[in-house]
Amino acid sequence: MIELRILIVEDDDGWQSDIAEKLEPLAPVKLCSAKSFKKALECIRRHAYDLAVVDLSLPDAPDSKEQESGEQGMELLGVIRGDKLNADCGLIVLTAWATHDRINEGYAKYHIDYFLEKQNIGEIDFIEIAQEAIMKSRLRRAAARKKESYYLNISFDDQQLLGTEIIGPTRHAIYRPNEPSPFEVTELAGRADRLNQTIIKSGAEGWRPEASSIGQAIYDVLSSDRRVFADLLMARTLPIHAKDLRLQFTGPAVGLGIPFELLRTGRDNLALKHVLTRRVIQEGDSYTHRLESFRAFIEERWKAKAPLRVLIVGSNSDGKIPAAEIEADTLATAINDDLKRMGITPEITALTGERATYNEVCSALSDGRFHIFHYAGHGRFDDQLPEISGLILKDGSGGRELTANVLEQLLSDTELRLVYLSCCLGARTSSQLGRGDFYGLLDSIIRADVPVALGHRWTIADDPAKLIALFFYQELWRTFSPGEALLQARKRISSELGRDDETWASPIIVMQNAYEEMETAP
């Protein structure tokens, strides 16, 4: 759980203590206290806060009249809203100097979340108000990031580059070449498949040089078209912050095999700098019917006070990966706590141990009511018949595969918005269809019209798999953006384990509704 940072501006020790005590249920919390206007300014300029609780009466007002009137406290609200770090933070005024005009000014001019009178504090649920203010703050920040972000979409098919599209606050440009450059999808995907064997045999010693070589090869292909190359370079310069550039690769399902996550320019791994997502073009109906962004979906559930339903499966089907059950239990607790902290009602169903059976998991998924499905366990991939690749679940004394074709049937026409496969080869993609309709597990999830799907491209160790999943969900509830959550999780895992460990590059995220998060130029 990520620590909240909360600022309390209050000159009275008793009230400071009382407010801090009321905020304890939000722990872990880093409380910063300021007894004066000057101290509050120092705090605001030093840190970004999730919430500020401000008293209007401050002891360092220029004269006693201004202190009594609370005008300097109102000035402080303006400073907070004008500060780049805190413009969107949750803001609660708690004062004995409430007037009708001041209340109206607070809401209209400073966009405060609540204006509370001290004499009425015993009649309200302060923690519920604080949760709502923090949630509003996160939604405001997510909306602000949308307005500040730029998107570069690079399109391709199984043989050639098809062009680019740049979307952002100041630019909207589309490029379609008259003579497309060749793009050898199968060759690059094959190198990525062989890289998995290198990981198994040689670890980091063999992985990093070959990963760098593949990343450079992808860059060379993109730079073979001068305009694509120029758009990539320009797009990286447009946003103020690197994380505000979204790189999206759009192509057929077979293109899921290309490890764009290894793309590099010089020493820069782009997946550690920018949000990097995929979008799959299907034959016929190529767009998801669930067009709302993940942020909009969460906001809708929150406003309606409706539960968020999460299914977490930890399958130790052969008794050799107890870490899968540990991951499931850890995530169930963490997600439950994070959602409650935001004032969202969690409904967590965790199937581990003897409950992680084929029949019980199929029954839970066919119910159709879950919004998030997380699987931790064994994954198997069949290159010749990718439609029989699957997730390994218990069945009697042995294991049974929940195959791609069955998974697609179970996930279709459900409420699912996100599926996370925390298993080896969950995002592996074949270069052929075999006898079925799917190139692999991710393809089957996409065809089931789940807007966000995430899986691992290569074999992944147990502890790193658990750690990056935990980082992802922590960031998801802070940003409400699966793409940005994965970027931050990549950064954190690469910091923890180093870039010689392949975990940061392994996850692939497909976002079929990514265009709903884009802000087009006027």
Side-chain angles (χ1 to χ4, degrees):
M1 187 180 292
I2 294 177
E3 185 178 66
L4 293 174
R5 189 179 289 274
I6 298 178
L7 173 64
I8 302 174
V9 184
E10 171 59 65
D11 64 316
D12 183 274
D13 290 336
W15 274 105
Q16 273 207 16
S17 179
D18 189 39
I19 295 169
E21 184 178 342
K22 290 180 182 297
L23 293 171
E24 284 180 0
L26 294 176
V29 173
K30 174 69 173 178
L31 289 176
C32 304
S33 299
K35 292 186 176 183
S36 67
F37 184 90
K38 181 179 179 180
K39 178 63 176 176
L41 286 181
E42 292 177 3
C43 294
I44 291 165
R45 289 164 180 165
R46 189 179 301 125
H47 298 294
Y49 293 94
D50 297 282
L51 175 66
V53 182
V54 178
D55 180 20
L56 297 183
S57 178
L58 300 173
D60 56 347
D63 55 59
S64 59
K65 182 178 179 180
E66 185 169 293
Q67 179 183 349
E68 290 179 1
S69 69
E71 285 303 316
Q72 197 172 28
M74 296 298 288
E75 182 183 338
L76 182 62
L77 302 182
V79 172
I80 292 172
R81 284 296 180 237
D83 181 76
K84 181 172 287 189
L85 291 176
N86 292 287
D88 299 306
C89 81
L91 189 50
I92 297 174
V93 173
L94 181 59
T95 183
W97 298 97
T99 67
H100 181 74
D101 289 343
R102 184 164 292 141
I103 292 172
N104 287 340
E105 182 183 3
Y107 284 115
K109 186 175 181 180
Y110 303 118
H111 308 292
I112 64 172
D113 296 297
Y114 282 98
F115 204 117
L116 307 177
E117 297 184 60
K118 286 185 174 180
Q119 59 267 32
N120 298 328
I121 194 68
E123 303 172 9
I124 62 174
D125 187 339
F126 189 80
I127 194 64
E128 183 177 336
I129 286 173
Q131 286 175 323
E132 185 168 335
I134 292 170
M135 185 66 174
K136 287 180 177 178
S137 168
R138 291 185 176 184
L139 290 170
R140 285 192 295 265
R141 283 173 170 163
R145 285 194 299 272
K146 172 182 174 180
K147 291 181 179 180
E148 295 169 356
S149 295
Y150 285 83
Y151 299 78
L152 172 63
N153 181 65
I154 299 177
S155 301
F156 62 95
D157 62 19
D158 57 352
Q159 295 182 332
Q160 56 195 1
L161 290 173
L162 299 180
T164 61
E165 182 175 14
I166 298 177
I167 301 175
T170 63
R171 189 179 300 270
H172 188 187
I174 299 174
Y175 163 63
R176 296 289 179 265
N178 293 324
E179 297 181 5
S181 297
F183 193 19
E184 295 296 334
V185 171
T186 302
E187 179 185 348
L188 288 169
R191 289 186 66 182
D193 293 341
R194 292 189 292 275
L195 183 56
N196 188 62
Q197 297 302 315
T198 302
I199 294 171
I200 295 171
K201 294 178 181 179
S202 307
E205 183 177 344
W207 176 81
R208 188 164 184 178
E210 179 59 13
S212 297
S213 175
I214 295 173
Q216 185 61 47
I218 296 172
Y219 180 78
D220 291 342
V221 171
L222 298 181
S223 62
S224 65
D225 184 309
R226 291 185 178 181
R227 174 64 184 273
V228 172
F229 177 69
D231 283 354
L232 177 60
L233 293 181
M234 179 177 62
R236 298 193 69 200
T237 69
L238 290 173
I240 297 174
H241 305 290
K243 65 181 178 62
D244 291 329
L245 173 63
R246 271 71 168 154
L247 293 177
Q248 179 179 263
F249 293 91
T250 298
V254 67
L256 291 172
I258 302 174
F260 290 110
E261 291 69 22
L262 300 179
L263 177 61
R264 55 189 290 122
T265 61
R267 295 183 178 181
D268 282 349
N269 292 107
L270 299 195
L272 290 172
K273 296 286 186 178
H274 315 296
V275 174
L276 196 156
T277 65
R278 317 287 191 97
R279 182 168 168 269
V280 174
I281 297 295
Q282 310 280 4
E283 294 182 5
D285 184 6
S286 61
Y287 294 92
T288 176
H289 294 92
R290 293 175 180 149
L291 294 175
E292 65 182 348
S293 66
F294 190 81
R295 176 191 61 80
F297 169 71
I298 292 295
E299 184 174 6
E300 177 188 346
R301 304 299 297 178
W302 173 67
K303 286 182 175 178
K305 298 187 182 302
L308 187 69
R309 293 185 285 269
V310 183
L311 174 63
I312 302 176
V313 175
S315 177
N316 183 14
S317 56
D318 59 2
K320 297 180 180 179
I321 50 169
E325 296 179 344
I326 296 172
E327 177 179 326
D329 290 337
T330 300
L331 289 179
T333 299
I335 293 173
N336 183 73
D337 291 346
D338 275 326
L339 293 178
K340 283 184 175 179
R341 194 187 198 196
M342 296 188 299
I344 297 176
T345 303
E347 286 188 8
I348 312 294
T349 299
L351 301 180
T352 59
E354 295 305 314
R355 295 191 64 198
T357 66
Y358 181 89
N359 288 335
E360 189 149 1
V361 172
C362 287
S363 176
L365 289 173
S366 63
D367 185 61
R369 65 190 185 91
F370 292 101
H371 304 116
I372 295 175
F373 170 41
H374 183 95
Y375 170 84
H378 283 305
R380 192 187 74 84
F381 186 81
D382 192 302
D383 279 298
Q384 300 303 313
L385 298 172
E387 64 272 14
I388 67 171
S389 302
L391 312 176
I392 315 299
L393 300 164
K394 287 189 175 182
D395 185 45
S397 59
R400 183 177 177 183
E401 291 185 31
L402 177 55
T403 59
N405 50 11
V406 174
L407 190 62
E408 190 269 345
Q409 296 174 37
L410 290 171
L411 302 189
S412 295
D413 296 320
T414 66
E415 294 298 312
L416 278 167
R417 296 301 192 277
L418 186 154
V419 172
Y420 188 133
L421 302 183
S422 183
C423 61
C424 297
L425 310 180
R428 180 82 174 261
T429 301
S430 176
S431 59
Q432 58 187 356
L433 283 175
R435 296 193 304 259
D437 298 321
F438 312 111
Y439 288 93
L441 284 164
L442 275 197
D443 186 23
S444 71
I445 295 168
I446 295 160
R447 286 179 180 265
D449 202 20
V450 177
V452 182
L454 192 155
H456 287 287
R457 180 67 174 80
W458 297 292
T459 300
I460 186 167
D462 296 340
D463 288 340
K466 179 186 73 173
L467 195 58
I468 196 168
L470 184 61
F471 289 163
F472 171 79
Y473 286 109
Q474 287 176 345
E475 296 291 343
L476 184 63
W477 310 130
R478 188 177 64 85
T479 64
F480 305 130
S481 167
E484 187 172 345
L486 182 56
L487 169 63
Q488 299 304 331
R490 289 189 203 276
K491 289 182 177 181
R492 292 176 67 182
I493 201 73
S494 68
S495 177
E496 291 267 348
L497 304 179
R499 296 194 188 186
D500 282 338
D501 184 279
E502 70 279 0
T503 305
W504 67 267
S506 183
I508 285 176
I509 188 166
V510 181
M511 294 182 63
Q512 294 293 88
N513 60 350
Y515 273 93
E516 293 308 303
E517 298 189 355
M518 297 184 182
E519 189 82 13
T520 56

